[in-house]
Amino acid sequence: MAPSFTFLLFIILLNGTSSTRSGHRKLLNNKIKQQHFCLGCVIMVSVIEQLSQFHNSTVKEALGRLCSYLPEKLELKNVCSLVAHIFGPDIIKLLENKINAEVVCYSIKLCKRKEGQPFCHLYHSSKAGLNMAIKEAKETATTRILKNIHGLSSICSLPFLKNLCEKIENVIDSDLPFKDFDGDKFSTFPTLRGYHWRGRDCDDKTASVYPGRRPDNWDAQQDSNCNGIWGVDQKDGIPYEQKFCNGTEPMGVVLLGDSAGAHFHIPPEWLTASQISPKTYSDLPAALANELDWPQFSETTGFLNSTIGGRTDSIYLRLHKRNRCNHRDYQSISKNGASSGKIWNLVESLARSQQFDKPAIVTYAMIGNDVCNGKADTVAAMTTPEEMHFNVLKGLRSLNSLLPKGSHVILVGLVDGRFLWDNLHDRYHPLGQLNKDITYEQVYSFLGCLELNPCNGWLSSNGTLRNITSERASLLSSVLRRIAKSEKYANFDLFYMDYPLKEITEEWHRLGGENWQLIEPVDGFHPNQIASVLLARIFWEKILHEWPHVLGEVNPFNNQIAAVFKDQGGY
Ligand SMILES: *[C@@H]1O[C@H](CO)[C@@H](O)[C@H](O)[C@H]1NC(C)=O
Ligand SMILES: *[C@@H]1O[C@H](CO)[C@@H](O)[C@H](O)[C@H]1NC(C)=O
Ligand SMILES: *[C@@H]1O[C@H](CO)[C@@H](O)[C@H](O)[C@H]1NC(C)=O
Ligand SMILES: *[C@@H]1O[C@H](CO)[C@@H](O)[C@H](O)[C@H]1NC(C)=O
Ligand SMILES: *[C@@H]1O[C@H](CO)[C@@H](O)[C@H](O)[C@H]1NC(C)=O
């Protein structure tokens, strides 16, 4: 980027933020907090430090290398250059004095110690060392600039950062409602809640055409349900949809889920100096537009071959194989941070009409957030069994008013998250692998200190607390089990299934794997692609074994559908 452009951005920065004085600031929802800047700074400075170490280059070169690898989209390259321009000289000076990333970030005031609170540590730096380094760095160029722009929280009011900030807010904030693309629930665009989340629309201009609907006039004229089967067989004059699909119990797949179901994933290459290359960040803009979720590879609605390791297997793919009439009929109604209390947002976003659409298999799988929160008094903030009962009944009642008759709902229990600490706490995090200096225990504790820990109960060194969290999770699962036993609904039958963690690990051990390999390496919290693939199969086989009617019969016309319609228009 030309220096003059940097300068221009800088002017915009100063002008844009000074207007925040006149009440403008109140309009900002400030989802991105000071602590996010601190976390972002520590990660970025760690990566820069490790890049310079790995390539035996200067810090300045490493910073330039990182910025040059970032894509233009979402202004990522510009933001990097701007950050390099503002903070670079200080970061370079401090890192060249062998000061670690967290001290750098405290020194340049991107991390701030709250009144009466301790420093937050990712590394093993001593408190005395921190204090001294910070005193020495008291008045840097950066702190002067930060003073001028009235703090970081106003940064998202800059017009050119609006788009990026919005994407980041969508990743971190579970309360933001879904933004359906173009106000239309089905779309021809992949990300931004497009067809990575629910089946691609095959005629975006006609509102009565979308995946999952019952065929209009047997789709003799057009493919009203986007399953790729339409037209009339010239040999006998019978519409193909009638011939191949009528009476085969076609069915959609719907997930009401959290970040695990949406398949949250941060590629470890993004943070691993030894793997960073010019191509590393090419998928960053699309990943941000998908809220860092990858539903297209997930265990419930996955339909594309995984590009994040492993294979893809899913309930949708298996149901599609069983009956090709189900092509494209999937919806991942899931959100990072969702819990039973957010069920209303989820059900509201479901696109299903009792009048026009086919029945669906709905999986309710909120496997942790009812006990996971970042509150200091985490136990008090957990969902109680009474609240759980209330939330889920409310959700089921509204599902009953939305789902076509003959649907099925499967409630999945909460996972036992002690698995995470037990298998990761003494292993090295991707950021700690180069110098063997950051374990998951350190990461969890750093996140806890920043009040950004996604689960203070389980991602904690306190074994008593981890046990209490699991006890609550188990109580909440039994609420779901009881509801499935006692409640009856007109439009669906209702089942309960434990989250099959034990079966997943047993299967993985049989294949020669170890437990830690089932967990997302960057966040140390979510099940990864390997776990998803195992879960899809175990989940499917359980349904097939215990409630086979849910899946319908194998469609005897599958081969003929494939012969006439090939890949049915793909995805
Ligand atoms: C790193 O680079 C410096 C200067 O180019 C050189 O003196 C040094 O030997 C290099 N070290 C390694 C480990 O390559
Ligand atoms: C569709 O299938 C149902 C049940 O198998 C049958 O009763 C009905 O007559 C069929 N309709 C057509 C148009 O084939
Ligand atoms: C996934 O890969 C397999 C084998 O390469 C291929 O046959 C299949 O069509 C791919 N699926 C999708 C959805 O691209
Ligand atoms: C937590 O529960 C496990 C299994 O029930 C038990 O073995 C362990 O002693 C408990 N730990 C603490 C600290 O209470
Ligand atoms: C561990 O957690 C329990 C339950 O929240 C709490 O009572 C106890 O004081 C904690 N122990 C330590 C060492 O912090």
Side-chain angles (χ1 to χ4, degrees):
M1 189 170 60
S4 60
F5 185 51
T6 314
F7 184 68
L8 192 68
L9 285 179
F10 196 55
I11 298 295
I12 300 171
L13 186 71
L14 290 171
N15 285 340
T17 47
S18 56
S19 68
T20 57
R21 275 184 170 162
S22 52
H24 185 150
R25 175 183 260 164
K26 286 199 200 78
L27 297 175
L28 300 171
N29 48 13
N30 281 339
K31 300 293 179 194
I32 307 179
K33 300 186 286 190
Q34 172 73 42
Q35 293 94 315
H36 290 112
F37 284 100
C38 176
L39 178 62
C41 176
V42 172
I43 292 172
M44 228 180 123
V45 174
S46 297
V47 169
I48 292 164
E49 187 175 26
Q50 293 181 22
L51 267 178
S52 84
Q53 185 189 341
F54 184 76
H55 293 282
N56 192 17
S57 67
T58 65
V59 175
K60 192 166 180 213
E61 284 160 354
L63 185 55
R65 185 189 293 264
L66 185 66
C67 286
S68 75
Y69 291 172
L70 283 170
E72 310 272 351
K73 272 198 190 141
L74 289 176
E75 305 289 345
L76 286 163
K77 200 191 280 286
N78 282 341
V79 169
C80 190
S81 303
L82 189 63
V83 167
H85 185 78
I86 301 178
F87 301 106
D90 286 338
I91 293 176
I92 291 164
K93 200 171 79 206
L94 292 162
L95 281 183
E96 278 173 353
N97 287 328
K98 301 281 165 241
I99 288 173
N100 74 32
E102 74 198 13
V103 184
V104 170
C105 294
Y106 273 107
S107 302
I108 63 178
K109 301 262 191 315
L110 280 178
C111 293
K112 278 189 190 144
R113 185 153 73 143
K114 278 194 178 169
E115 203 71 52
Q117 299 286 318
F119 286 112
C120 295
H121 289 291
L122 181 59
Y123 294 84
H124 286 299
S125 11
S126 73
K127 194 174 153 199
L130 262 166
N131 264 327
M132 197 152 77
I134 288 162
K135 267 207 199 92
E136 260 171 34
K138 218 169 25 192
E139 178 79 356
T140 60
T142 310
T143 53
R144 274 196 303 279
I145 290 168
L146 285 180
K147 239 181 257 160
N148 273 335
I149 63 170
H150 319 298
L152 286 164
S153 52
S154 53
I155 235 162
C156 285
S157 64
L158 298 171
F160 83 104
L161 286 183
K162 190 168 161 277
N163 202 348
L164 178 61
C165 283
E166 248 180 46
K167 301 281 177 300
I168 295 173
E169 286 170 359
N170 258 317
V171 174
I172 60 181
D173 184 11
S174 63
D175 290 326
L176 283 178
F178 292 21
K179 261 209 206 138
D180 290 317
F181 198 76
D182 271 351
D184 181 357
K185 288 193 164 157
F186 295 94
S187 130
T188 56
F189 197 77
T191 60
L192 297 170
R193 300 261 161 195
Y195 67 79
H196 283 168
W197 300 79
R198 37 185 146 208
R200 188 157 67 90
D201 206 338
C202 53
D203 180 357
D204 218 13
K205 288 183 202 74
T206 312
S208 60
V209 171
Y210 54 87
R213 74 163 277 153
R214 284 201 303 268
D216 181 21
N217 191 25
W218 296 112
D219 282 3
Q221 280 82 39
Q222 71 162 341
D223 189 11
S224 70
N225 55 20
C226 301
N227 69 357
I229 301 170
W230 65 289
V232 175
D233 188 344
Q234 294 308 328
K235 288 200 284 295
D236 50 19
I238 300 175
Y240 285 112
E241 180 92 33
Q242 179 186 341
K243 190 184 258 188
F244 293 154
C245 299
N246 183 38
T248 68
E249 306 176 84
M251 185 87 62
V253 175
V254 174
L255 170 72
L256 302 180
D258 52 21
S259 54
H263 209 17
F264 189 88
H265 166 76
I266 298 176
E269 310 82 78
W270 291 359
L271 310 183
T272 310
S274 60
Q275 292 173 23
I276 291 175
S277 75
K279 274 190 266 168
T280 300
Y281 299 105
S282 58
D283 51 359
L284 177 56
L288 279 177
N290 265 347
E291 304 162 39
L292 292 181
D293 297 322
W294 309 69
Q296 68 273 32
F297 310 139
S298 69
E299 68 262 5
T300 314
T301 62
F303 62 95
L304 288 180
N305 285 333
S306 169
T307 58
I308 58 174
R311 302 177 297 118
T312 300
D313 193 359
S314 73
I315 302 302
Y316 165 73
L317 281 177
R318 284 167 178 263
L319 201 64
H320 178 266
K321 195 168 165 216
R322 197 171 178 83
N323 183 352
R324 298 190 72 115
C325 298
N326 294 327
H327 187 66
R328 285 197 197 159
D329 194 358
Y330 58 87
Q331 300 187 42
S332 181
I333 313 295
S334 48
K335 176 99 186 149
N336 299 342
S339 61
S340 71
K342 313 250 164 78
I343 199 166
W344 186 241
N345 283 346
L346 298 179
V347 174
E348 234 181 8
S349 297
L350 174 65
R352 210 75 182 174
S353 152
Q354 270 174 346
Q355 194 184 349
F356 296 113
D357 298 349
K358 294 185 263 191
I361 302 173
V362 179
T363 308
Y364 165 98
M366 316 257 200
I367 65 170
N369 294 321
D370 283 281
V371 296
C372 285
N373 60 70
K375 300 278 160 57
D377 191 358
T378 184
V379 178
M382 292 174 186
T383 305
T384 64
E386 294 72 30
E387 287 165 343
M388 186 82 172
H389 190 256
F390 175 86
N391 293 340
V392 173
L393 284 192
K394 179 172 141 186
L396 290 175
R397 265 196 308 276
S398 42
L399 274 180
N400 194 44
S401 69
L402 278 175
L403 290 176
K405 205 170 177 56
S407 294
H408 312 278
V409 176
I410 301 171
L411 305 175
V412 178
L414 281 76
V415 71
D416 186 347
R418 285 178 293 193
F419 185 81
L420 302 167
W421 173 271
D422 292 347
N423 292 297
L424 285 186
H425 76 276
D426 54 359
R427 301 192 62 85
Y428 291 114
H429 186 268
L431 274 180
Q433 270 159 19
L434 187 61
N435 297 314
K436 306 278 172 253
D437 57 352
I438 302 172
T439 61
Y440 283 92
E441 177 167 8
Q442 285 160 264
V443 172
Y444 296 154
S445 141
F446 182 56
L447 292 174
C449 178
L450 291 176
E451 300 170 21
L452 296 177
N453 189 323
C455 194
N456 275 344
W458 276 325
L459 308 184
S460 158
S461 58
N462 182 336
T464 312
L465 182 57
R466 296 197 303 273
N467 278 1
I468 290 173
T469 309
S470 289
E471 279 160 28
R472 177 66 64 88
S474 158
L475 261 184
L476 298 181
S477 295
S478 45
V479 171
L480 295 175
R481 194 184 298 116
R482 273 202 307 278
I483 289 176
K485 245 196 202 129
S486 62
E487 300 297 320
K488 295 277 173 285
Y489 296 88
N491 292 319
F492 54 84
D493 48 7
L494 185 60
F495 307 96
Y496 171 81
M497 186 187 291
D498 280 324
Y499 187 91
L501 182 60
K502 189 159 162 283
E503 289 93 326
I504 291 173
T505 53
E506 281 169 1
E507 181 61 27
W508 185 233
H509 294 167
R510 251 198 302 282
L511 295 168
E514 296 180 49
N515 285 347
W516 63 270
Q517 295 166 323
L518 297 167
I519 307 169
E520 271 297 315
V522 172
D523 58 61
F525 181 50
H526 295 96
N528 67 9
Q529 189 65 27
I530 299 172
S532 291
V533 167
L534 295 171
L535 175 59
R537 209 192 72 210
I538 291 164
F539 196 77
W540 176 268
E541 282 172 0
K542 244 180 172 150
I543 303 175
L544 198 59
H545 186 248
E546 294 181 27
W547 319 297
H549 73 281
V550 166
L551 303 173
E553 296 294 326
V554 175
N555 186 339
F557 303 106
N558 279 339
N559 289 338
Q560 291 180 57
I561 295 173
V564 178
F565 296 102
K566 310 286 184 274
D567 74 348
Q568 297 170 264
Y571 288 95

